[in-house]
Amino acid sequence: MPSFTHLLCAGLAASLVAAAPTPSRVSDAVKRSSSTCTFTSASKASESKADCSTIILSGIEVPAGETLDLTDLTEGTEVIFSGTTTFGYEEWDGPLIEISGKKITVTAEDDAVINGDGSRWWDGEGTNGGKTKPKFFYAHSLDESTISGLTIKNTPVQVFSIESDYLTIKDVTIDNSDGDDEGGHNTDGFDIGESTYITITGAVVKNQDDCVAINSGENIYFSGGTCSGGHGLSIGSVGGRSDNTVKNVTFTSSTVSDSENGIRIKTVYDATGSVTDVTFSDITLSGITDYGVVIEQDYENGSPTGDPSNGITIKDVTIDGITGTVESDAVEVYILCGDDSCSDWTWKDVDLTGGKTSSKCENVPSGASC
Ligand SMILES: *[C@@H]1O[C@H](CO)[C@@H](O)[C@H](O)[C@H]1NC(C)=O
C-alpha cells in the first residue's frame, strides 16, 4: 500500500488485510468502523479523509494558498487537532480551514493551538483594503455537529463563518489580542448567517471586531461568553442580503470588556426584513468606548448615517440585566428606530454608569428608555 505509507492508519491496514477476499463494499464498512488516521500533511488528510472514522491532525503545516479541506466528511467522523497547526503565507481569500458533514465532532488535545500568525497579513485595513487576507474557518453545512475545546490564535481576518444547522460550539478560545497593537482589523469571532439552532457556550474572544455577529438565522443561543477588545455582541447588520430574517436569538450570562459596544442591533437603511424574539440578558460591560446598548436602523454601506428607516421591524426584544460601566465619552444607551418599526420591547435592569446620555434617540418604543 505505497499510498498509505505516510499515514498511520492501523485500523485500515488491518482490515484491508482481513477483508481482502470479500467484496469491496463490505471491506469499506469494516475498515471505517475502526480506522483512526493520524495525518501530518493537509493534502493527505484531504485525500484520505473518507477512509477514517477518527482523523487526528498532528502538527499540520498547511501550505500557502491552500485550505485544510475536511469538507464532506462521512457522517459521524471525529476530527482532533493535535500539536500546533500553522499556515503558509499568501494573499488570498481562504478559508484556511473548512469542515463540513453531519454529526461531526471537532475537538483538540489540551495543548493544541491553531495559529494563524495573522501579523503577516495585518495592516490595519482588514477586509477594507490593503493585503487580501484569508478567512479562517468555514463551518458551512457542518450540521448536527459539535466543535469544542479549540484554541485559536491570531487569525488574518474573520475567524468563524457559520452557515449550518444544529451546530454546537463549546469552550472555544480565540486570542487575536496581538492584533490590538499590530494592525488586526475585522477579526470577527463568530459570523453567523442562514443558520438554525446554533449554540455557542463558554467562548473566549479577544479581537478587534464583533465578538459575535448574526446577519440572519433562527434559534441561536450564546451563553457564558467572555468578549474583549472588539465591537461586542451584535445582531446585524441585517438587510440587503439573500436572507434578512433574524428570529429567536438569546445572548446571556456573558461579559464584554474594553470594546467599542456592549450589545447592538443594527439594520440597513431602506432594506426589508425582520428581527424578532431577541433576548440580551445578564450581560456585564466594562471599558466600553462607544455605546453600551445600541439599536439603530440607519446603516448604509457599512456605516451609520443618523437617518433611520422602517422597512426592517425589530420586535419582541428583551433587554434584561445589562450592567456595568462605559467610558466617560461613551453613550450608555442609543436607540434610533424608524417610524413604528420597533415594538413590543421589554426593558429591565439596564444599569450602566460612567458615560453620557444620548440626545439623539428617535422612535423609542414604549418600555425602553434612552
Ligand atoms: C429558540 O431557540 C432555542 C435555542 O436554539 C431553542 O432551544 C428553542 O426551542 C427556540 N424556541 C422556539 C420557540 O423555537
Side-chain angles (χ1 to χ4, degrees), residues 66-68 87 90-98 116 121 126-127 132-140 155-161 185-188 191:
E66 290 180 23
T67 301
L68 176 52
F87 306 86
E90 184 165 310
E91 288 190 41
W92 70 305
D93 287 324
L96 298 182
I97 300 172
E98 182 162 16
W121 288 273
T127 42
T132 304
K133 304 167 187 76
K135 304 282 190 349
F136 198 68
F137 193 131
Y138 278 9
H140 295 181
T155 65
V157 266
Q158 292 90 351
V159 187
F160 281 97
S161 167
H185 197 68
N186 299 135
T187 49
D188 309 35
D191 286 327

Side-chain angles (χ1 to χ4, degrees), residues 197-199 218-221 248-249 277:
Y197 294 96
I198 305 300
T199 299
E218 299 188 18
N219 309 325
I220 296 165
Y221 182 81
N248 184 22
V249 174
D277 197 4

Side-chain angles (χ1 to χ4, degrees), residues 32-352:
R32 256 203 61 82
S33 65
S34 62
S35 55
T36 294
C37 308
T38 300
F39 295 106
T40 56
S41 125
S43 57
K44 298 302 188 276
S46 301
E47 276 164 29
S48 305
K49 60 194 175 188
D51 299 326
C52 314
S53 56
T54 299
I55 295 174
I56 300 176
L57 302 166
S58 177
I60 292 205
E61 299 173 19
V62 181
E66 290 180 23
T67 301
L68 176 52
D69 179 355
L70 298 174
T71 52
D72 297 318
L73 292 178
T74 307
E75 183 168 333
T77 300
E78 189 179 359
V79 176
I80 304 171
F81 284 88
S82 166
T84 302
T85 307
T86 60
F87 306 86
Y89 177 79
E90 184 165 310
E91 288 190 41
W92 70 305
D93 287 324
L96 298 182
I97 300 172
E98 182 162 16
I99 304 181
S100 67
K102 212 170 154 182
K103 295 190 164 74
I104 307 301
T105 307
V106 181
T107 60
E109 287 176 1
D110 280 350
D111 57 351
V113 177
I114 308 175
N115 190 350
D117 193 6
S119 64
R120 294 172 293 172
W121 288 273
W122 293 338
D123 53 12
E125 299 201 55
T127 42
N128 302 323
K131 293 178 176 174
T132 304
K133 304 167 187 76
K135 304 282 190 349
F136 198 68
F137 193 131
Y138 278 9
H140 295 181
S141 302
L142 183 57
D143 301 328
E144 298 171 50
S145 295
T146 303
I147 298 173
S148 65
L150 303 191
T151 299
I152 292 168
K153 269 188 80 70
N154 295 339
T155 65
V157 266
Q158 292 90 351
V159 187
F160 281 97
S161 167
I162 298 168
E163 290 179 21
S164 294
D165 298 308
Y166 295 92
L167 174 63
T168 296
I169 300 181
K170 219 178 127 206
D171 300 332
V172 165
T173 294
I174 295 167
D175 183 358
N176 273 16
S177 51
D178 289 346
D180 292 347
D181 297 325
E182 296 177 35
H185 197 68
N186 299 135
T187 49
D188 309 35
F190 302 96
D191 286 327
I192 303 172
E194 302 181 26
S195 294
T196 64
Y197 294 96
I198 305 300
T199 299
I200 302 176
T201 59
V204 176
V205 179
K206 303 174 187 177
N207 68 343
Q208 298 82 27
D209 206 310
D210 294 314
C211 182
V212 179
I214 301 173
N215 293 322
S216 63
E218 299 188 18
N219 309 325
I220 296 165
Y221 182 81
F222 180 90
S223 171
T226 306
C227 305
S228 64
H231 295 179
L233 299 170
S234 302
I235 292 179
S237 52
V238 177
R241 305 170 201 266
S242 54
D243 185 344
N244 303 299
T245 301
V246 173
K247 193 169 180 217
N248 184 22
V249 174
T250 297
F251 292 95
T252 188
S253 305
S254 296
T255 62
V256 181
S257 61
D258 303 326
S259 295
E260 287 188 3
N261 311 291
I263 64 172
R264 167 159 78 158
I265 302 174
K266 50 180 178 172
T267 66
V268 173
Y269 181 81
D270 248 357
T272 54
S274 64
V275 176
T276 317
D277 197 4
V278 170
T279 298
F280 289 93
S281 68
D282 185 20
I283 313 280
T284 305
L285 310 184
S286 62
I288 303 300
T289 57
D290 291 6
Y291 299 100
V293 176
V294 51
I295 300 178
E296 59 181 317
Q297 300 209 280
D298 62 337
Y299 263 68
E300 267 189 286
N301 304 319
S303 298
T305 63
D307 184 17
S309 71
N310 65 3
I312 298 178
T313 52
I314 303 181
K315 196 171 177 311
D316 296 315
V317 172
T318 299
I319 308 283
D320 179 7
I322 312 299
T323 59
T325 55
V326 305
E327 299 290 281
S328 57
D329 53 357
V331 169
E332 289 166 6
V333 176
Y334 177 48
I335 299 169
L336 185 72
C337 286
D339 189 15
D340 266 344
S341 44
C342 296
S343 63
D344 298 301
W345 291 12
T346 302
W347 190 273
K348 59 181 179 195
D349 298 329
V350 177
D351 184 11
L352 296 171

